[in-house]
Amino acid sequence: MNHFIAKLAQPTKPTTLAFVNAHAMNLVATSQTFTNSLLQADALVRDGTGMAQLLKLLGKNPGENLNGTDLIPTIITLFDGKKIALLGTQEPVLKAARNKIMSELAPKSDISLLHGFCQATDYLAFCIETKPDLIVLGMGMPKQEHVAALLREQLSEPCSIVCGGAIIDFLGGRVQRAPGWVRRCGIEWIYRLLIEPRRLFKRYVIGNPLFLLRAKKYTKLTSSLTS
């Protein structure tokens, strides 16, 4: 994975990083379009303890847990001085995320912004015009994976495309991280559920049991995970 991150910092073509968690696998079970978009990523990495359990059930080494909330800020620092695009969420969170990046992660970068409620073709036109070196998508699944696949296919300039989920909301202060001990125990999802029960009830309370019931059906996608 460290080798891929190094390549991500110096792309020679549009290159996509996506994260696979229990929610993603539930979407895989119901949407072939989403599955196809996800499989177009240049690297798929495991995010969460649920995926570790699945991989063990399939007789595979779960490898390192690489959740985007921890990894993406590190990736952003590698692009300091280059053009960065944040595509997702809404104002004022979007500008707050840019301020956070400029003050702590990439102070020398030119950062362009576009909210998360546009059509996929709008993001493509925006990136053709702004030519970012790093594109962080924060629209949530499945939209961001569809957009990532389109950008990867249609952009001609080398760039890195990261499917970031709620990362822009975290950077912009709309969503708070769980305490360190909660993250180390692998139960940050419980903390997030307590903070946003209405939005996340279906994903976690209903989705997690469904994920475990469907575990044996996921062999194809898990075989593509980057170790």
Side-chain angles (χ1 to χ4, degrees):
M1 176 49 61
N2 288 336
H3 176 66
F4 177 79
I5 296 301
K7 288 180 61 178
L8 197 69
Q10 296 182 320
T12 57
K13 61 180 182 178
T15 303
T16 302
L17 170 65
F19 297 83
V20 181
N21 54 24
H23 180 51
M25 298 306 285
N26 280 332
L27 290 173
V28 163
T30 59
S31 173
Q32 186 61 49
T33 300
F34 173 74
T35 303
N36 293 341
S37 295
L38 201 56
L39 287 172
Q40 289 183 50
D42 296 279
L44 296 173
V45 298
R46 174 177 76 82
D47 177 3
T49 56
M51 286 300 299
Q53 294 175 32
L54 170 61
L55 290 166
K56 289 177 182 177
L57 283 173
L58 296 173
K60 298 178 181 294
N61 182 353
E64 187 177 0
N65 181 45
L66 295 168
N67 72 80
T69 313
D70 292 325
L71 182 60
I72 295 172
T74 299
I75 293 173
I76 290 173
T77 65
L78 300 177
F79 286 84
D80 188 19
K82 299 181 180 180
K83 292 183 178 181
I84 299 173
L86 302 181
L87 310 182
T89 196
Q90 57 189 339
E91 297 298 358
V93 179
L94 199 51
K95 288 181 180 176
R98 177 172 63 185
N99 292 340
K100 175 83 168 179
I101 291 172
M102 294 187 70
S103 65
E104 298 183 16
L105 302 175
K108 300 176 183 177
S109 287
D110 176 17
I111 302 175
S112 54
L113 309 174
L114 186 59
H115 65 75
F117 303 96
C118 297
Q119 298 297 315
T121 51
D122 295 327
Y123 297 114
L124 175 61
F126 181 80
C127 290
I128 290 173
E129 179 182 354
T130 58
K131 295 181 172 58
D133 300 290
L134 173 65
I135 302 167
V136 179
L137 303 176
M139 308 153 195
M141 297 177 180
K143 183 176 181 178
Q144 64 188 11
E145 285 72 24
H146 298 331
V147 172
L150 177 66
L151 297 179
R152 182 181 182 273
E153 179 182 358
Q154 296 293 329
L155 292 177
S156 58
E157 299 289 336
C159 62
S160 292
I161 305 160
V162 178
C163 296
I167 185 61
I168 302 176
D169 287 318
F170 279 114
L171 291 171
R174 191 189 75 81
V175 179
Q176 300 297 319
R177 292 300 306 273
W181 69 268
V182 174
R183 301 201 299 270
R184 289 190 292 273
C185 290
I187 55 173
E188 187 169 12
W189 68 271
I190 297 177
Y191 178 87
R192 292 192 62 196
L193 177 62
L194 293 173
I195 297 298
E196 298 183 274
R198 181 175 297 180
R199 188 174 74 85
L200 297 177
F201 180 87
K202 184 177 180 181
R203 178 183 300 187
Y204 292 139
V205 178
I206 298 175
N208 284 356
L210 277 175
F211 165 75
L212 293 175
L213 288 172
R214 293 164 169 163
K216 291 294 185 180
K217 299 180 180 180
Y218 295 141
T219 305
K220 179 180 178 181
L221 185 65
T222 55
S223 67
S224 300
L225 287 171
T226 303
S227 60

